[in-house]
């Protein structure tokens, strides 16, 4: 248990293809950190698009605006001592780099998973619709995903289970002084 008044805030920015495992790792890490007494906030692409960015579509301009707004919220939370766990595809390196500059205390986590495994995991059938041409500008199919050049952590979800991935994330945060 920690004293939540004196730990340093940080934004953990999970990026990766749809269905790579970003949300699962972020959700599990949030549970563990809350149990330990940390102030934690989860910002997830599906949830944020229901309120904060529901006016946006999926063009590059709208995706950039989505990430710009999430960056602003993450920056405010981080400077107030919150561990912010974001899970956004965030396909463009320029916007992730901008988030890093704006937020400062920032850990980029590349959730790496082969496209065929992501397609197998897709319970919503979004990849199937994108391959059939029913969804335009779908990351990994008809829109690019720019892999991070130098993420602080790479988690390969096809090679390790959720507990291993979460443990590696928590250790990375501890090694950088964000956790006791």
């Amino acid at each position: 248990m920690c004293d939540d008044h004196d730990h340093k805030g940080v934004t953990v920015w999970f990026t990766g293809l749809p269905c790579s495992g970003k949300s699962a790792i972020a959700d599990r890490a949030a549970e563990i950190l809350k149990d330990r007494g940390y102030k934690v906030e989860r910002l997830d692409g599906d949830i944020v698009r229901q309120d904060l960015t529901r006016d946006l579509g999926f063009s590059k301009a709208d995706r950039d605006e989505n990430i710009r707004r999430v960056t602003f919220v993450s920056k405010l939370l981080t400077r107030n001592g919150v561990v912010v766990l974001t899970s956004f595809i965030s396909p463009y390196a320029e916007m992730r780099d901008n988030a890093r500059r704006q937020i400062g205390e920032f850990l980029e986590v590349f959730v790496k998973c082969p496209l065929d495994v992501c397609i197998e995991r897709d319970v919503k059938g979004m990849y199937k619709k994108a391959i059939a041409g029913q969804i335009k500008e779908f990351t990994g199919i008809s829109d690019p995903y720019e892999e991070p050049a130098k993420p602080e952590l790479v988690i390969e979800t096809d090679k390790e289970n959720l507990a291993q991935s979460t443990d590696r994330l928590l250790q990375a945060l501890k090694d950088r002084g964000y956790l006791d």
Side-chain angles (χ1 to χ4, degrees):
M1 188 67 120
C2 72
D3 177 358
D4 65 1
H5 295 290
D6 56 9
H7 74 264
K8 188 166 54 172
V10 62
T11 291
V12 179
W13 195 279
F14 291 93
T15 179
L17 289 171
C19 305
S20 59
K22 301 177 295 296
S23 295
I25 300 166
D27 287 344
R28 182 64 189 130
E31 290 172 6
I32 292 168
L33 292 173
K34 285 179 183 175
D35 286 348
R36 292 182 185 174
Y38 287 90
K39 293 187 288 188
V40 177
E41 190 60 57
R42 279 279 292 117
L43 297 175
D44 184 86
D46 290 342
I47 295 167
V48 167
R49 280 188 175 271
Q50 291 173 10
D51 285 306
L52 182 66
T53 62
R54 70 176 161 200
D55 58 320
L56 301 174
F58 291 91
S59 67
K60 183 178 184 317
D62 282 354
R63 287 175 185 230
D64 286 351
E65 178 61 17
N66 184 45
I67 296 304
R68 189 194 67 74
R69 292 180 193 178
V70 170
T71 297
F72 178 75
V73 172
S74 298
K75 179 178 160 183
L76 296 179
L77 292 167
T78 298
R79 76 179 183 201
N80 283 288
V82 177
V83 178
V84 183
L85 301 165
T86 75
S87 49
F88 293 86
I89 297 166
S90 48
Y92 308 117
E94 179 183 1
M95 292 308 293
R96 294 191 306 263
D97 291 345
N98 182 58
R100 177 187 297 276
R101 283 190 303 274
Q102 293 289 318
I103 296 167
E105 302 295 337
F106 188 89
L107 190 86
E108 186 176 45
V109 178
F110 176 28
V111 181
K112 187 175 182 178
C113 186
L115 181 61
D116 60 325
V117 175
C118 292
I119 291 171
E120 288 174 18
R121 292 177 178 172
D122 181 15
V123 295
K124 296 178 186 173
M126 302 301 280
Y127 276 107
K128 187 176 179 181
K129 289 179 182 175
I131 291 168
Q134 296 169 348
I135 299 175
K136 306 294 181 204
E137 301 172 309
F138 192 83
T139 302
I141 302 298
S142 52
D143 206 54
Y145 176 76
E146 300 170 359
E147 292 189 5
K150 294 182 180 177
E152 280 77 15
L153 183 63
V154 177
I155 294 176
E156 297 184 67
T157 58
D158 63 317
K159 297 179 180 171
E160 58 190 49
N161 64 35
L162 179 60
Q164 292 169 322
S165 297
T166 305
D167 287 348
R168 290 186 54 230
L169 169 66
L170 296 176
Q171 187 61 50
L173 287 168
K174 186 174 181 178
D175 291 346
R176 287 162 176 81
Y178 294 113
L179 304 180
D180 297 327

